[in-house]
Amino acid sequence: MDVEFDFDGRVALVTGACGALGSAVVTAFRDAGATVAAADVVEPDDEDSLLDAGDGVEFYHGDFTDEEDVSRVVESVVEDHGGVDFLANVAGTWRGGDPIHETDADTFDFLFDVNLKTMFLASKHALPHLREAEGAIVSVSARSSLEGGEGDGPYRASKAGVRLLTETIAEENLGTVRANAVMPSVIDTPMNREMMPDADHDAWVDPAEIARTVVVLCSDATGVTSGAAVPVYGEA
């Protein structure tokens, strides 16, 4: 069954927009008719037509671990487009391989900055505008955040924090702003294929499938859903 959404006249802010999942989320919102503010600390490639203002997408350069930068980007989006209706907190990364007693503090700080602080700061500064729009937030947690595991504890902990902040935002904004999270496992990206060449890639989830779930969670189709952590790991 084909499902279509009409977000014409709505504005979506997507962090981590230049990554594999972020660009898929940008595309999904754009295809649904939204104006997309695509934000990232990484500049898009010159030949990347996806991040072309004429395509309904405008790129905003910003470091979402820096509060002044986040405030600047959010206010620029509001000034340029009149508000923010949806926030997709996609910015994030993975590091692992070492047990806790061998993990350096810089790695811990890096993971919490990129995975959790970006989500906190973007939500903090977007919420006043999302309240006005009675909008929605969708953030990216992870399946592995549901339990401890060997070798990537700080990553799991940072993604568990995303789930808990999602629940908190949902509770603090009942009836005004909905907040949900999605929980991928292994996403089918070029980087993951390179890191795990012998894995069963057919079991991995395409970024576009996760992006569709993000759009659904921002739509009226899930108007009674808030504070949820939604599995998007398929058979992975």
Side-chain angles (χ1 to χ4, degrees):
M1 180 177 65
D2 292 329
V3 178
E4 295 184 0
F5 296 98
D6 183 5
F7 286 163
D8 183 48
R10 314 295 288 277
V11 179
L13 171 59
V14 180
T15 72
C18 292
L21 180 55
S23 61
V25 172
V26 168
T27 300
F29 275 115
R30 183 198 63 188
D31 290 349
T35 296
V36 186
D40 207 314
V41 69
V42 178
E43 294 280 355
D45 294 334
D46 291 339
E47 66 271 15
D48 190 349
S49 61
L50 173 65
L51 301 182
D52 182 347
D55 232 355
V57 178
E58 184 168 355
F59 179 73
Y60 292 82
H61 182 269
D63 179 358
F64 273 64
T65 68
D66 182 294
E67 185 160 16
E68 289 187 5
D69 233 14
V70 175
S71 176
R72 175 188 59 78
V73 170
V74 171
E75 292 309 314
S76 294
V77 172
V78 171
E79 182 177 343
D80 292 345
H81 304 292
V84 177
D85 298 278
F86 311 120
L87 169 64
N89 287 308
V90 186
T93 192
W94 182 86
R95 293 287 188 279
D98 295 323
I100 292 298
H101 70 280
E102 295 178 2
T103 299
D104 59 67
D106 288 344
T107 298
F108 180 93
D109 290 342
F110 174 74
L111 286 166
F112 271 77
D113 278 352
V114 176
N115 291 338
L116 185 56
K117 189 177 182 181
T118 58
M119 178 263 188
F120 161 69
L121 289 176
S123 300
K124 172 184 175 179
H125 287 275
L127 269 167
H129 309 289
L130 292 167
R131 286 194 184 112
E132 291 182 11
E134 295 188 358
I137 299 173
V138 179
S139 302
V140 178
S141 180
R143 180 182 187 178
S144 61
S145 74
L146 296 172
E147 59 185 3
E150 185 177 354
D152 61 351
Y155 171 79
R156 292 171 184 255
S158 66
K159 288 297 190 177
V162 171
R163 286 193 295 107
L164 290 174
L165 280 188
T166 294
E167 293 173 5
T168 298
I169 292 168
E171 185 68 22
E172 291 176 346
N173 294 276
L174 286 173
T176 306
V177 176
R178 294 186 298 109
N180 294 290
V182 293
M183 296 190 301
S185 181
V186 184
I187 305 174
D188 191 3
T189 67
M191 181 179 294
N192 283 339
R193 285 187 177 238
E194 183 178 341
M195 291 174 58
M196 295 174 275
D198 299 325
D200 180 8
H201 301 154
D202 291 338
W204 295 355
V205 179
D206 189 279
E209 295 180 286
I210 299 172
R212 284 194 291 271
T213 303
V214 172
V215 169
V216 170
L217 288 170
C218 288
S219 75
D220 293 339
T222 55
V224 295
T225 303
S226 192
V230 179
V232 288
Y233 34 81
E235 299 177 0

